[in-house]
Amino acid sequence: MRPGVILRLAALAFLVAMLLSPQSFAPLFRPFTQNNAPPIYTQTSLLSLTLNHLMLVALAVGAATVVAVGLGILVTRPSGAEFRPLSRTITSIGQTFPPVAVLALAVPVMGFGNWPTLIALFLYGLLPIFENTLTALSNVPAAVNEAARGMGLTAAQRLLRVELPLAVPVILAGVRLSAVISLATATIGSTVAAKTLGEVIIAGLLSNNTAFVLQGGLIVGIMAILIYDGFQLLERVTARRTGASGR
């Protein structure tokens, strides 16, 4: 087994153990506390915060994927090509305005909690997925499309049976980037009362407890690495199945 695989399995085991039995790691974090402060964050369960954090990221990235891929398909069709500049403007909104600014604008309308965070993550995740979808669909070999047309496939059939399957690995790369960005960005949702791992980090900063900051950062960092690797594996599998790895 390769060293990289062993390290990732060890990271996964550490993450699971940390979430299921955080008090077992008290000796590890105690050196980072001061004045007999608690070494483990207990105000809210680390497991519940992690699950809610992942749920927010999954919902936001899922919605961003549907919208961004839909726009990418639209603007790569002859009938929708004129909307490409507008689509780029729409999907760039999240990158133009920092997530903190989006949260500040969303709170007066939606109140505190998960919804402002979902909106911020959704907007922030659109651009990488849209751009990758655009690139993938625009670079489908003309010969492949001509062969599909020669077989009598309709435009919809060519999209579903030829273009999208070939584009999936590149689209997944955009989803991977969006997911990792959203995973890290979701921590700021705790500033508007969303239940994310940012709660642990913020509590540590406010109380000058480095142990809390390390806990939140470690959990988010390990999940980001595992999610990144998971998507990379999925990209390689889909590329092999479609023959894209050989192009």
Side-chain angles (χ1 to χ4, degrees):
M1 190 176 290
R2 290 181 297 177
V5 176
I6 295 174
L7 285 174
R8 281 158 178 77
L9 288 175
L12 177 60
F14 175 86
L15 177 64
V16 172
M18 179 71 190
L19 295 178
L20 294 180
S21 182
Q23 290 299 333
S24 302
F25 293 85
L28 177 65
F29 291 101
R30 187 164 284 114
F32 300 98
T33 63
Q34 299 177 8
N35 303 321
N36 294 319
I40 300 296
Y41 185 78
T42 57
Q43 186 171 341
T44 308
S45 161
L46 289 177
L47 178 60
S48 66
L49 287 175
T50 300
L51 292 176
N52 199 68
H53 192 112
L54 288 173
M55 181 195 70
L56 288 174
V57 171
L59 289 174
V61 173
T65 300
V66 171
V67 173
V69 172
L71 284 175
I73 292 172
L74 172 66
V75 300
T76 52
R77 306 303 98 184
S79 59
E82 61 184 299
F83 297 107
R84 183 174 296 198
L86 176 61
S87 296
R88 271 210 165 98
T89 300
I90 293 173
T91 55
S92 298
I93 288 176
Q95 305 290 333
T96 303
F97 296 98
V100 173
V102 177
L103 288 175
L105 293 172
V107 165
V109 178
M110 298 182 168
F112 290 90
N114 289 336
W115 279 107
T117 305
L118 275 172
I119 296 299
L121 296 181
F122 167 75
L123 292 175
Y124 212 59
L126 283 173
L127 187 61
I129 304 173
F130 173 75
E131 289 295 339
N132 277 41
T133 302
L134 198 61
T135 299
L137 292 177
S138 298
N139 290 323
V140 172
V144 173
N145 262 327
E146 284 301 321
R149 191 177 289 108
M151 293 171 59
L153 297 182
T154 65
Q157 288 173 329
R158 291 198 301 273
L159 173 66
L160 295 175
R161 298 184 187 179
V162 179
E163 295 179 64
L164 281 178
L166 289 174
V168 162
V170 179
I171 294 174
L172 282 175
V175 177
R176 165 168 52 89
L177 181 58
S178 177
V180 172
I181 291 174
S182 295
L183 192 71
T185 307
T187 55
I188 67 170
S190 292
T191 61
V192 292
K195 286 294 182 181
T196 74
L197 289 162
E199 178 179 320
V200 184
I201 297 172
I202 292 171
L205 293 173
L206 292 176
S207 62
N208 197 29
N209 190 336
T210 307
F212 289 175
V213 178
L214 285 175
Q215 282 162 52
L218 270 175
I219 295 172
V220 172
I222 291 172
M223 289 195 301
I225 292 171
L226 295 176
I227 289 173
Y228 186 93
D229 285 350
F231 270 107
Q232 276 199 322
L233 177 61
L234 189 57
E235 289 164 39
R236 288 196 294 268
V237 170
T238 54
R240 283 198 297 268
R241 287 184 176 178
T242 61
S245 57
R247 293 212 308 270

